[in-house]
Short mmCIF file of all heavy atoms in Angstrom, two decimals:
data_model
loop_
_atom_site.label_atom_id
_atom_site.label_comp_id
_atom_site.label_asym_id
_atom_site.label_seq_id
_atom_site.Cartn_x
_atom_site.Cartn_y
_atom_site.Cartn_z
N ARG A 189 7.21 8.01 -16.77
CA ARG A 189 8.34 8.53 -17.55
C ARG A 189 8.49 7.80 -18.89
O ARG A 189 8.84 8.42 -19.90
CB ARG A 189 9.62 8.42 -16.73
CG ARG A 189 10.82 9.11 -17.33
CD ARG A 189 11.97 9.19 -16.36
NE ARG A 189 12.48 7.87 -15.98
CZ ARG A 189 12.32 7.30 -14.82
NH1 ARG A 189 11.62 7.92 -13.87
NH2 ARG A 189 12.83 6.11 -14.55
N VAL A 190 8.22 6.49 -18.90
CA VAL A 190 8.42 5.72 -20.13
C VAL A 190 7.14 5.58 -20.94
O VAL A 190 7.13 4.95 -22.01
CB VAL A 190 9.01 4.32 -19.82
CG1 VAL A 190 10.35 4.46 -19.13
CG2 VAL A 190 8.04 3.48 -18.99
N GLY A 191 6.04 6.13 -20.43
CA GLY A 191 4.79 6.12 -21.18
C GLY A 191 3.96 4.86 -21.02
O GLY A 191 3.14 4.53 -21.88
N SER A 192 4.13 4.17 -19.89
CA SER A 192 3.34 2.96 -19.62
C SER A 192 2.09 3.33 -18.84
O SER A 192 2.14 4.10 -17.88
CB SER A 192 4.17 1.97 -18.81
OG SER A 192 3.41 0.84 -18.45
N ARG A 193 0.96 2.76 -19.23
CA ARG A 193 -0.30 3.07 -18.58
C ARG A 193 -0.55 2.09 -17.43
O ARG A 193 -0.76 0.90 -17.64
CB ARG A 193 -1.45 2.98 -19.59
CG ARG A 193 -2.80 3.37 -19.01
CD ARG A 193 -3.89 3.16 -20.05
NE ARG A 193 -5.21 3.49 -19.52
CZ ARG A 193 -6.36 3.15 -20.10
NH1 ARG A 193 -6.33 2.47 -21.24
NH2 ARG A 193 -7.51 3.47 -19.55
N ASN A 194 -0.55 2.58 -16.20
CA ASN A 194 -0.79 1.74 -15.02
C ASN A 194 -2.18 2.02 -14.46
O ASN A 194 -2.38 3.02 -13.76
CB ASN A 194 0.24 2.04 -13.93
CG ASN A 194 1.63 1.51 -14.24
OD1 ASN A 194 2.60 2.03 -13.73
ND2 ASN A 194 1.74 0.49 -15.05
N VAL A 195 -3.13 1.15 -14.69
CA VAL A 195 -4.48 1.39 -14.18
C VAL A 195 -4.59 1.04 -12.70
O VAL A 195 -5.50 1.52 -12.01
CB VAL A 195 -5.54 0.61 -14.99
CG1 VAL A 195 -5.57 1.08 -16.42
CG2 VAL A 195 -5.28 -0.90 -14.92
N LEU A 196 -3.68 0.22 -12.17
CA LEU A 196 -3.72 -0.16 -10.76
C LEU A 196 -2.72 0.61 -9.90
O LEU A 196 -2.76 0.53 -8.68
CB LEU A 196 -3.45 -1.66 -10.61
CG LEU A 196 -4.44 -2.61 -11.29
CD1 LEU A 196 -3.99 -4.06 -11.10
CD2 LEU A 196 -5.84 -2.42 -10.74
N GLY A 197 -1.82 1.34 -10.55
CA GLY A 197 -0.73 1.98 -9.82
C GLY A 197 -1.18 2.96 -8.77
O GLY A 197 -0.75 2.90 -7.61
N ALA A 198 -2.05 3.90 -9.12
CA ALA A 198 -2.48 4.92 -8.17
C ALA A 198 -3.23 4.31 -7.00
O ALA A 198 -3.04 4.70 -5.84
CB ALA A 198 -3.35 5.96 -8.88
N THR A 199 -4.07 3.31 -7.29
CA THR A 199 -4.82 2.65 -6.23
C THR A 199 -3.89 1.90 -5.28
O THR A 199 -4.00 2.01 -4.05
CB THR A 199 -5.84 1.66 -6.83
OG1 THR A 199 -6.76 2.38 -7.64
CG2 THR A 199 -6.61 0.94 -5.74
N GLY A 200 -2.96 1.14 -5.85
CA GLY A 200 -2.01 0.41 -5.02
C GLY A 200 -1.16 1.33 -4.17
O GLY A 200 -0.94 1.08 -2.98
N LEU A 201 -0.69 2.41 -4.78
CA LEU A 201 0.11 3.38 -4.04
C LEU A 201 -0.70 3.99 -2.91
O LEU A 201 -0.19 4.18 -1.79
CB LEU A 201 0.61 4.48 -4.98
CG LEU A 201 1.49 5.56 -4.37
CD1 LEU A 201 2.73 4.95 -3.72
CD2 LEU A 201 1.91 6.58 -5.44
N GLY A 202 -1.97 4.26 -3.15
CA GLY A 202 -2.82 4.82 -2.11
C GLY A 202 -3.00 3.88 -0.94
O GLY A 202 -2.99 4.32 0.23
N VAL A 203 -3.13 2.59 -1.21
CA VAL A 203 -3.29 1.61 -0.13
C VAL A 203 -2.03 1.56 0.73
O VAL A 203 -2.10 1.59 1.96
CB VAL A 203 -3.59 0.21 -0.72
CG1 VAL A 203 -3.50 -0.86 0.37
CG2 VAL A 203 -4.96 0.19 -1.36
N TYR A 204 -0.86 1.50 0.09
CA TYR A 204 0.38 1.42 0.86
C TYR A 204 0.68 2.72 1.59
O TYR A 204 1.22 2.71 2.71
CB TYR A 204 1.54 1.01 -0.04
CG TYR A 204 1.52 -0.45 -0.37
CD1 TYR A 204 1.21 -0.90 -1.66
CD2 TYR A 204 1.76 -1.41 0.60
CE1 TYR A 204 1.15 -2.25 -1.97
CE2 TYR A 204 1.71 -2.77 0.31
CZ TYR A 204 1.40 -3.17 -0.97
OH TYR A 204 1.33 -4.52 -1.26
N ALA A 205 0.33 3.84 0.99
CA ALA A 205 0.53 5.13 1.66
C ALA A 205 -0.32 5.21 2.92
O ALA A 205 0.15 5.63 3.99
CB ALA A 205 0.19 6.28 0.71
N ALA A 206 -1.57 4.78 2.83
CA ALA A 206 -2.47 4.82 3.98
C ALA A 206 -2.03 3.84 5.06
O ALA A 206 -2.02 4.16 6.25
CB ALA A 206 -3.90 4.53 3.54
N ALA A 207 -1.65 2.62 4.65
CA ALA A 207 -1.20 1.63 5.62
C ALA A 207 0.09 2.07 6.31
O ALA A 207 0.30 1.79 7.50
CB ALA A 207 -0.98 0.28 4.92
N SER A 208 0.93 2.80 5.59
CA SER A 208 2.20 3.29 6.17
C SER A 208 1.96 4.28 7.29
O SER A 208 2.83 4.45 8.17
CB SER A 208 3.06 3.96 5.08
OG SER A 208 3.46 3.03 4.11
N GLU A 209 0.81 4.94 7.26
CA GLU A 209 0.49 5.94 8.29
C GLU A 209 -0.42 5.39 9.38
O GLU A 209 -0.59 6.01 10.43
CB GLU A 209 -0.18 7.16 7.64
CG GLU A 209 0.70 7.89 6.64
CD GLU A 209 1.98 8.42 7.26
OE1 GLU A 209 1.93 8.86 8.44
OE2 GLU A 209 3.04 8.38 6.60
N ALA A 210 -1.02 4.23 9.16
CA ALA A 210 -1.93 3.65 10.15
C ALA A 210 -1.13 3.18 11.36
O ALA A 210 -0.11 2.49 11.23
CB ALA A 210 -2.69 2.49 9.52
N SER A 211 -1.60 3.51 12.55
CA SER A 211 -0.86 3.20 13.77
C SER A 211 -0.65 1.70 13.99
O SER A 211 0.34 1.29 14.60
CB SER A 211 -1.58 3.80 14.99
OG SER A 211 -2.89 3.26 15.11
N ASP A 212 -1.56 0.87 13.49
CA ASP A 212 -1.44 -0.58 13.68
C ASP A 212 -0.73 -1.27 12.52
O ASP A 212 -0.63 -2.50 12.50
CB ASP A 212 -2.81 -1.21 13.92
CG ASP A 212 -3.77 -0.98 12.76
OD1 ASP A 212 -3.49 -0.09 11.92
OD2 ASP A 212 -4.80 -1.68 12.70
N CYS A 213 -0.24 -0.49 11.59
CA CYS A 213 0.44 -1.07 10.42
C CYS A 213 1.85 -0.50 10.20
O CYS A 213 2.72 -1.19 9.65
CB CYS A 213 -0.39 -0.82 9.16
SG CYS A 213 -2.03 -1.58 9.17
N LYS A 214 2.07 0.73 10.59
CA LYS A 214 3.33 1.42 10.34
C LYS A 214 4.51 0.63 10.89
O LYS A 214 4.45 0.06 11.98
CB LYS A 214 3.29 2.81 10.96
CG LYS A 214 4.45 3.70 10.60
CD LYS A 214 4.25 5.10 11.17
CE LYS A 214 5.37 6.04 10.74
NZ LYS A 214 5.15 7.41 11.26
N ASN A 215 5.59 0.59 10.13
CA ASN A 215 6.85 -0.07 10.47
C ASN A 215 6.77 -1.59 10.46
O ASN A 215 7.74 -2.27 10.83
CB ASN A 215 7.38 0.40 11.84
CG ASN A 215 7.76 1.85 11.83
OD1 ASN A 215 8.31 2.35 10.86
ND2 ASN A 215 7.44 2.56 12.91
N LEU A 216 5.65 -2.15 10.02
CA LEU A 216 5.51 -3.60 9.95
C LEU A 216 5.71 -4.09 8.51
O LEU A 216 5.81 -3.30 7.59
CB LEU A 216 4.14 -4.01 10.48
CG LEU A 216 3.87 -3.68 11.95
CD1 LEU A 216 2.46 -4.06 12.35
CD2 LEU A 216 4.90 -4.37 12.87
N ASP A 217 5.76 -5.41 8.35
CA ASP A 217 5.93 -6.00 7.03
C ASP A 217 4.82 -5.58 6.10
O ASP A 217 3.65 -5.41 6.51
CB ASP A 217 5.95 -7.53 7.18
CG ASP A 217 6.04 -8.23 5.84
OD1 ASP A 217 7.11 -8.18 5.22
OD2 ASP A 217 5.02 -8.81 5.41
N SER A 218 5.13 -5.42 4.83
CA SER A 218 4.18 -4.87 3.86
C SER A 218 2.92 -5.72 3.69
O SER A 218 1.87 -5.22 3.27
CB SER A 218 4.86 -4.68 2.50
OG SER A 218 5.37 -5.91 2.01
N ARG A 219 3.01 -7.01 4.05
CA ARG A 219 1.81 -7.84 3.96
C ARG A 219 0.76 -7.46 5.00
O ARG A 219 -0.35 -7.99 5.00
CB ARG A 219 2.19 -9.31 4.10
CG ARG A 219 2.46 -10.02 2.81
CD ARG A 219 3.67 -9.54 2.02
NE ARG A 219 4.92 -9.73 2.70
CZ ARG A 219 6.12 -9.77 2.11
NH1 ARG A 219 6.21 -9.61 0.80
NH2 ARG A 219 7.23 -9.90 2.80
N VAL A 220 1.11 -6.49 5.86
CA VAL A 220 0.15 -5.99 6.85
C VAL A 220 -1.03 -5.29 6.19
O VAL A 220 -1.99 -4.92 6.86
CB VAL A 220 0.87 -5.06 7.86
CG1 VAL A 220 1.09 -3.67 7.25
CG2 VAL A 220 0.10 -4.95 9.17
N VAL A 221 -1.00 -5.12 4.88
CA VAL A 221 -2.17 -4.57 4.19
C VAL A 221 -3.39 -5.45 4.42
O VAL A 221 -4.53 -4.96 4.37
CB VAL A 221 -1.94 -4.36 2.68
CG1 VAL A 221 -0.91 -3.28 2.42
CG2 VAL A 221 -1.55 -5.67 2.00
N TYR A 222 -3.19 -6.73 4.72
CA TYR A 222 -4.32 -7.61 5.06
C TYR A 222 -5.03 -7.07 6.31
O TYR A 222 -6.26 -7.04 6.38
CB TYR A 222 -3.83 -9.03 5.30
CG TYR A 222 -4.90 -10.00 5.77
CD1 TYR A 222 -5.84 -10.50 4.88
CD2 TYR A 222 -4.96 -10.41 7.10
CE1 TYR A 222 -6.83 -11.39 5.31
CE2 TYR A 222 -5.93 -11.29 7.53
CZ TYR A 222 -6.87 -11.78 6.64
OH TYR A 222 -7.85 -12.65 7.06
N ARG A 223 -4.25 -6.66 7.30
CA ARG A 223 -4.82 -6.05 8.50
C ARG A 223 -5.49 -4.73 8.16
O ARG A 223 -6.60 -4.45 8.63
CB ARG A 223 -3.72 -5.83 9.55
CG ARG A 223 -4.17 -5.05 10.78
CD ARG A 223 -3.01 -4.79 11.73
NE ARG A 223 -2.58 -6.03 12.37
CZ ARG A 223 -1.50 -6.12 13.16
NH1 ARG A 223 -0.73 -5.05 13.36
NH2 ARG A 223 -1.19 -7.27 13.72
N TYR A 224 -4.81 -3.91 7.35
CA TYR A 224 -5.36 -2.61 6.98
C TYR A 224 -6.71 -2.76 6.28
O TYR A 224 -7.62 -1.94 6.48
CB TYR A 224 -4.37 -1.88 6.06
CG TYR A 224 -4.93 -0.60 5.48
CD1 TYR A 224 -5.03 0.55 6.26
CD2 TYR A 224 -5.38 -0.56 4.16
CE1 TYR A 224 -5.57 1.72 5.74
CE2 TYR A 224 -5.91 0.60 3.63
CZ TYR A 224 -6.01 1.73 4.43
OH TYR A 224 -6.55 2.88 3.90
N LEU A 225 -6.86 -3.82 5.51
CA LEU A 225 -8.11 -4.05 4.78
C LEU A 225 -9.19 -4.72 5.64
O LEU A 225 -10.30 -4.97 5.17
CB LEU A 225 -7.84 -4.91 3.54
CG LEU A 225 -6.97 -4.25 2.46
CD1 LEU A 225 -6.56 -5.26 1.40
CD2 LEU A 225 -7.69 -3.08 1.82
#
């Protein structure tokens, strides 16, 4: 909206979106991306 270029935004959002749906990560602390990876 403000015209800022985020080169990591889409990738980061994709990681959290996938981890949010993973059965061993969902509803856990966000640092669970270590497990997801």
Side-chain angles (χ1 to χ4, degrees):
R189 189 169 64 252
V190 300
S192 176
R193 184 184 178 195
N194 287 155
V195 297
L196 299 177
T199 299
L201 181 58
V203 170
Y204 284 110
S208 295
E209 297 301 323
S211 60
D212 59 344
C213 298
K214 189 175 184 178
N215 295 321
L216 297 177
D217 176 71
S218 59
R219 268 65 63 159
V220 78
V221 293
Y222 175 76
R223 173 184 290 174
Y224 173 76
L225 294 170

